[in-house]
C-alpha cells in the first residue's frame, strides 16, 4: 500500500508549487479483528525521499497514520520536514477508553460519530457506551421490544441500524464499542416496559431489579444474548454499581426471604443476583465481561478473565486488592469528566495527566494486570449542546497518559503540544474548549 | 402600529388552516434613547379578538413582544389561546446585565451577536463588555493605535466597524453596551504598545499602571474620550479591581515617592491614581461611571451618580456600606458564571435564582439604591467553543431574578418554565445546555 501526499515545499510556499511525497504503508498481518489484544504498534520513518510506515495490524497502521498527520501538520511549512524522523511506537495500555452516557441525556448519532473522530485523533480504542440508566432506555431491543418504552420519546432512541452505524464507524477508526447495560441498580427505565423486573418499594415507588423474580434470569439471558449478538466485542460491561438497599429493605417478600436465608446484609442479596448474571454470561453466553468495582468488593466469584472497573476516585486499595487476586483491572476513577475544576488559572486536564493507573503499591505482576483506563463523561449535565467542549481537550490528557510511556509527564511540554493539537481540531470545526486563560488559536474568529 | 400574526387554530391544526390574529402595539413616547432610566414597562392583553400591547417606550414594547412570543409559543396549539390574558409588567431592576470578557479569550462578533439574541429573550438590558485585560487588548483605538498590538493577533481584534455593529444590534434589542477598560491593574496588554504606561518591577517584569507617570493622565483622558465617543452609553465602567502591590513595592522610584509622601500603605497610591481618573471622567468628560467595589472600599471620593459594582460574592457588608453612603450599587458577586457546580443532581442556576440583590440588611432607601445586577462570564476557560452552553440557561435564572418581583421564588415552578424556554432556544439552534439529569427536549437529535 502506498499513499502519495501533496506537500508544499517550504522554499516554494509563495508560489504554491508542490511535490509528491511518497508514503509507503506496510501491514504484515491479514487479521482485521479488533480487540483488547490487537497489536497497535507501528514504526514510522521519514526522510527527504518520503515516509515509511510499518505495522503488524491495520489498526497499528491507523495509529501511525495519525502520528504522521500530526507531524505533517506541525512541520508542513517549515524546514523540519526535511529532517529524518524515526519512530517506534506502541501503546502502554491495551484499553484506552471514553465512557459516554446516553441515558441521563440522549446523545444523537451525529454527535457520537463526531466524537469518534476525536477519539481516533487521540488514539483511544474503546468507546464504553453506558446505554441505559434510571432516566431512560433509548436502546431498541428485538428480544424485548417494550424496553424502549423507557426512552424519553420515540424519536430519542437508537435503532439497530444506528447502533450498527456507530459500531462500523468506530471499527474503521480502530475503536471497540463496548456496551454497558447496568444492573441490578440504575434500572428504573427498564420498568416502563417491564414493571415486574423491578422491586416494588413499600412507598409505591420502584427500586432496583427484584432478584427474587425468577423470570428475571431468563429475561436477562435473552437480552444479554441480543447484546452480544449486536456488539461484536469480546467484552461487555455488566455494570453492578451503586445499588441502594432502601427499597429491598422495604419490600415484605424480600424481607421474609432474607430472614429465611438467615441473611441480614442486603449486599448478599445483591451478590445473589450478580453471581447468577456473571455465571450466565460466562457459562451460557461464553462471553467475557467487565464489572464495576462493587462487584469485586462484594466478593462475587468472577471468571478468570473478568475485568474489574475501578471508579471510586483514586482507589488504590481496590486496584491493589483486585490485582492481588489475579484479576485484570481498568482504572476510571481518576478521569471523571463530570467533575470539573473551574479555578481561573487552572486546566484540570493536568490532574488527569498526572494520575497514573498504576499509581498503587504492588508488584510488577500486579501492575501488569491493570490493562488500561477510561475517561468517563457521565451525562447528568451534558447533552449535544455541550458534550464536545466538556469532553475535549481534557480527554486528550487521559489519552496521552494511557498511550505514552509512564515517564512522559512533563506538563509544560505537553501543554505546548496539546494547545497546538486543540487549535488544529478547532480549525477542523470541533468545539474543543481552551486550555486556560490567554491561550488562543490564530484562526479568524477563534481564540 | 399593528402587527398581524398568522395563527394556526387549534381546531384546524390537521388541515393547516390559519387565521389572522391582530396584534396592536401602541407606544406613547417618541423618545428612542436607551439608558438605565428607560421605561421598559408594558401592558399586554389578549382575547379571542386579538392582542393589545401598550408601552411608553419602544423598548417597553420590545419586552412585551417577547412576552407575547413566549405566550404564543406556549399556547399556539392549545385552547388556552382563547383565554383572556391581562399582563401589566415592568422590571424590578433597571440594570439587568451580562458581563462578557474578550481578553482572556477572544470572542468573535458572530458569537456576541448570537448572545444578544439570547439576552433579549431573557429581557436583559446591559451588555457589560470587559474589553481588555492582562492577556490581550483586542480593541482598535484611533487615539492610541499601538494599543491593539496587545491583541493576541491582528486577526483577533475588534474594529470600530465591528464595535458599532455590536452596539447597533444591541440597541435594536433594547440592550446597552457598557464598555469596561479596567485600570490600573489588569493592564499588562496595554504595555505591548505603550510600555511606559506600566510599572517596571525590580525583577524585570511589568506591573500595573505607574501612577507617577504624569503622561498617564492625559493619555487616559484622550483614550476615555474615545471610549465615550464610541459607546453611546451614559455610563462607562472604569474597573479598579484587584490591584497587586508587589510590583509597586519593588520599584525604587515609587518607594522613594511613597516615603516622601509619608505613605506606607500602597492602597493610597492606588487611590491617588483612581481619584485622578474618576475626576477626569466626571469633570472633564462630563460622563457617568461604574467602578468595582475596591474603589469604594478604598475611600475614593466618587461622583454622586457613581455606581459601585459589588463583585466579591454575596458581600452584603459592602452593599450595605455603599448604599448607606448614598451611592448606587449593582450586584454581580452572586452571579459569577465562571464558578460552576457540577454535582450530579444539581443545576447551579438555582443558586443564582435564590440570591436576591437586596439580600442585605438596610433601610428601604438603601435597597432602592441597588439598581440591578449582572451575571459575569469571566473568560479564563471560555471562548467561542463553549461560551453559549456555559452562559445559558444559567443566566436565565439571573434574568428572572432581576426582572420579576422579589417574591417570585418558586424554583419548582420556574424549572418547568425554564426547561420549556431552553428547549425552544435549542430548537432555534442555540446550544443552551440542559438543566440536569433526565431533562430532554423532544426534538429529534436533541435531549
Amino acid at each position: 500500500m502506498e499513499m502519495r501526499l501533496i506537500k508544499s515545499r517550504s522554499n516554494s510556499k509563495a508560489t504554491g508549487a508542490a511535490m509528491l511525497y511518497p508514503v509507503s504503508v506496510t501491514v504484515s498481518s491479514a487479521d482485521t479483528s479488533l480487540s483488547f489484544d490487537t497489536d497497535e504498534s507501528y514504526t514510522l520513518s521519514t526522510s527527504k525521499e518520503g515516509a515509511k510506515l510499518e505495522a503488524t495490524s491495520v489498526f497499528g497502521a491507523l495509529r501511525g497514520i495519525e502520528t504522521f498527520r500530526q507531524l505533517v501538520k506541525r512541520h508542513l511549512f517549515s524546514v523540519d520536514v526535511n529532517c529524518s524522523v524515526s519512530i517506534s511506537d506502541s501503546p502502554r495500555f491495551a484499553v484506552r477508553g471514553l465512557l459516554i452516557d446516553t441515558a441521563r441525556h440522549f446523545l444523537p448519532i451525529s454527535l457520537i460519530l463526531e466524537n469518534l473522530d476525536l477519539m481516533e485523533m487521540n488514539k483511544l480504542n474503546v468507546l464504553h457506551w453506558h446505554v441505559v440508566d434510571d432516566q431512560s432506555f433509548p436502546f431498541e431491543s428485538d428480544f424485548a421490544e417494550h424496553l424502549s418504552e423507557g426512552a424519553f420519546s420515540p424519536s430519542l432512541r437508537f435503532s439497530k441500524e444506528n447502533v450498527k452505524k456507530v459500531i462500523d464507524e468506530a471499527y474503521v477508526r480502530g475503536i471497540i464499542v463496548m456496551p454497558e447495560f447496568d444492573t441490578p441498580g440504575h434500572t428504573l427505565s427498564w420498568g416502563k416496559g417491564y414493571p415486574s423486573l423491578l422491586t416494588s418499594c413499600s412507598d409505591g415507588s420502584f427500586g432496583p431489579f427484584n432478584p427474587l423474580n425468577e423470570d428475571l434470569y431468563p429475561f436477562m439471558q435473552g437480552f444479554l444474548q441480543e447484546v452480544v449478538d449486536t456488539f461484536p466485542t469480546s467484552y461487555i460491561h455488566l455494570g453492578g454499581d451503586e445499588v441502594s438497599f432502601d427499597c429491598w429493605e422495604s419490600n415484605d417478600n424480600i424481607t421474609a426471604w432474607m430472614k429465611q436465608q438467615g441473611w441480614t446484609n442486603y449486599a448478599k442479596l445483591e451478590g445473589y443476583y450478580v453471581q447468577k448474571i456473571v455465571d450466565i454470561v460466562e457459562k451460557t453466553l461464553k462471553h467475557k465481561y467487565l464489572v464495576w468495582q462493587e462487584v469485586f468488593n462484594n466478593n462475587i466469584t468472577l471468571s478468570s478473565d473478568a475485568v474489574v472497573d475501578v471508579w471510586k476516585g483514586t482507589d488504590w486499595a481496590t486496584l491493589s486488592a483486585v490485582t492481588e487476586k489475579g484479576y485484570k483491572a481498568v482504572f476510571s476513577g481518576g478521569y471523571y469528566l463530570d467533575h470539573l475544576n473551574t479555578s481561573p488559572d487552572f486546566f484540570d486536564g493536568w490532574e488527569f495527566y498526572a494520575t497514573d493507573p498504576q499509581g498503587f503499591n504492588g508488584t510488577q505482576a500486579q501492575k501488569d494486570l491493570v490493562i488500561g483506563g477510561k475517561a468517563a463523561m457521565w451525562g447528568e449535565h451534558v447533552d449535544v449542546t455541550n458534550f464536545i467542549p466538556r469532553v475535549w481537550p481534557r480527554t486528550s490528557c487521559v489519552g496521552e497518559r494511557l498511550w505514552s510511556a509512564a515517564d512522559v509527564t512533563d506538563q509544560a511540554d505537553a501543554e505546548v503540544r496539546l494547545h497546538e493539537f486543540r487549535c488544529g481540531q478547532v480549525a477542523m470545526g470541533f468545539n474543543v474548549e481552551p486550555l486556560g486563560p490567554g491561550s488562543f488559536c490564530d484562526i479568524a474568529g477563534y481564540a
Side-chain angles (χ1 to χ4, degrees), chain A:
Chain A
M1 170 161 43
E2 183 171 285
M3 298 165 59
R4 286 192 170 269
L5 184 83
I6 293 171
K7 185 186 76 69
S8 290
R9 287 180 303 188
S10 53
N11 61 357
S12 58
K13 202 173 150 191
T15 61
M19 66 177 201
L20 287 176
Y21 186 82
V23 183
S24 78
V25 181
T26 309
V27 173
S28 58
S29 165
D31 182 1
T32 56
S33 68
L34 180 63
S35 75
F36 295 171
D37 299 322
T38 293
D39 184 336
E40 295 173 280
S41 67
Y42 66 92
T43 61
L44 173 67
S45 57
T46 69
S47 69
K48 283 187 185 182
E49 283 67 42
K52 206 167 97 172
L53 172 61
E54 293 181 316
T56 303
S57 77
V58 286
F59 301 106
L62 265 187
R63 303 299 173 233
I65 288 169
E66 173 58 27
T67 297
F68 184 69
R69 185 189 73 80
Q70 293 175 24
L71 280 175
V72 169
K73 177 156 177 46
R74 191 161 208 182
H75 300 294
L76 190 57
F77 295 120
S78 82
V79 291
D80 293 354
V81 76
N82 288 328
C83 291
S84 287
V85 167
S86 181
I87 295 171
S88 178
D89 196 14
S90 61
R92 178 175 166 215
F93 291 106
V95 173
R96 305 175 309 282
L98 170 65
L99 177 150
I100 64 170
D101 169 2
T102 54
R104 271 58 176 255
H105 289 100
F106 185 78
L107 298 176
I109 291 293
S110 57
L111 177 76
I112 297 174
L113 299 183
E114 182 183 356
N115 183 59
L116 290 175
D117 281 335
L118 289 161
M119 288 180 70
E120 183 187 17
M121 289 181 217
N122 285 275
K123 297 191 173 76
L124 298 187
N125 70 330
V126 176
L127 180 73
H128 175 170
W129 189 350
H130 184 84
V131 187
V132 305
D133 208 295
D134 284 335
Q135 288 80 358
S136 72
F137 197 109
F139 180 77
E140 293 184 356
S141 167
D142 297 321
F143 168 75
E145 61 181 19
H146 294 295
L147 279 171
S148 59
E149 290 171 16
F152 286 128
S153 90
S155 66
L156 302 176
R157 293 178 182 172
F158 300 108
S159 66
K160 278 290 196 307
E161 187 186 359
N162 276 339
V163 169
K164 186 172 183 315
K165 175 91 175 159
V166 171
I167 292 166
D168 291 349
E169 293 291 331
Y171 173 77
V172 298
R173 289 164 178 78
I175 298 167
I176 298 161
V177 178
M178 178 178 74
E180 176 191 356
F181 288 86
D182 192 4
T183 66
H186 291 278
T187 48
L188 292 182
S189 66
W190 301 59
K192 291 280 170 63
Y194 299 92
S196 68
L197 298 177
L198 304 181
T199 305
S200 296
C201 326
S202 61
D203 65 0
S205 67
F206 289 102
F209 275 1
N210 182 351
L212 304 190
N213 174 359
E214 286 302 323
D215 294 340
L216 184 57
Y217 302 99
F219 182 93
M220 283 304 291
Q221 181 178 321
F223 179 71
L224 290 173
Q225 181 67 58
E226 179 181 15
V227 170
V228 301
D229 290 345
T230 303
F231 295 88
T233 161
S234 51
Y235 275 89
I236 60 173
H237 201 301
L238 299 176
D241 60 322
E242 297 185 315
V243 181
S244 161
F245 298 152
D246 296 349
C247 181
W248 284 346
E249 286 168 0
S250 80
N251 179 292
D252 289 342
N253 289 343
I254 290 177
T255 312
W257 187 86
M258 288 283 289
K259 201 168 175 182
Q260 198 181 318
Q261 305 295 312
W263 292 356
T264 52
N265 184 352
Y266 284 77
K268 286 200 172 182
L269 180 63
E270 180 183 348
Y272 172 84
Y273 168 82
V274 174
Q275 190 66 62
K276 282 174 177 266
I277 295 298
V278 299
D279 289 348
I280 286 170
V281 174
E282 179 187 0
K283 290 163 190 162
T284 309
L285 306 186
K286 315 279 188 207
H287 218 77
K288 299 178 194 171
Y289 59 84
L290 288 82
V291 285
W292 292 115
Q293 70 177 83
E294 284 94 327
V295 174
F296 170 82
N297 294 140
N298 201 13
N299 296 315
I300 302 304
T301 305
L302 299 173
S303 65
S304 60
D305 50 17
V307 176
V308 179
D309 197 340
V310 177
W311 69 271
K312 295 189 173 181
T314 48
D315 183 356
W316 302 135
T318 293
L319 270 169
S320 179
V322 165
T323 53
E324 197 176 357
K325 289 212 173 172
Y327 289 120
K328 290 178 191 163
V330 294
F331 176 61
S332 304
Y335 314 121
Y336 261 37
L337 297 161
D338 50 322
H339 302 171
L340 186 58
N341 182 333
T342 53
S343 305
D345 294 322
F346 186 69
F347 169 62
D348 67 357
W350 300 129
E351 288 177 353
F352 302 151
Y353 195 67
T355 303
D356 195 290
Q358 295 177 337
F360 61 98
N361 288 324
T363 64
Q364 189 57 47
Q366 279 180 273
K367 299 201 174 187
D368 290 344
L369 286 168
V370 179
I371 61 170
K374 288 184 280 102
M377 185 68 268
W378 294 107
E380 281 87 349
H381 292 289
V382 171
D383 72 3
V384 66
T385 60
N386 60 356
F387 179 95
I388 295 291
R390 197 62 68 91
V391 171
W392 306 100
R394 295 192 295 151
T395 299
S396 295
C397 296
V398 182
E400 178 152 308
R401 176 56 41 242
L402 297 175
W403 178 281
S404 296
D407 63 357
V408 178
T409 55
D410 183 339
Q411 180 185 314
D413 177 70
E415 189 158 358
V416 174
R417 291 182 287 107
L418 180 54
H419 172 67
E420 182 183 290
F421 192 42
R422 179 249 168 182
C423 287
Q425 291 161 346
V426 170
M428 284 187 267
F430 297 102
N431 280 331
V432 175
E433 71 176 21
L435 275 71
S439 69
F440 69 98
C441 307
D442 201 356
I443 308 164
Y446 289 90

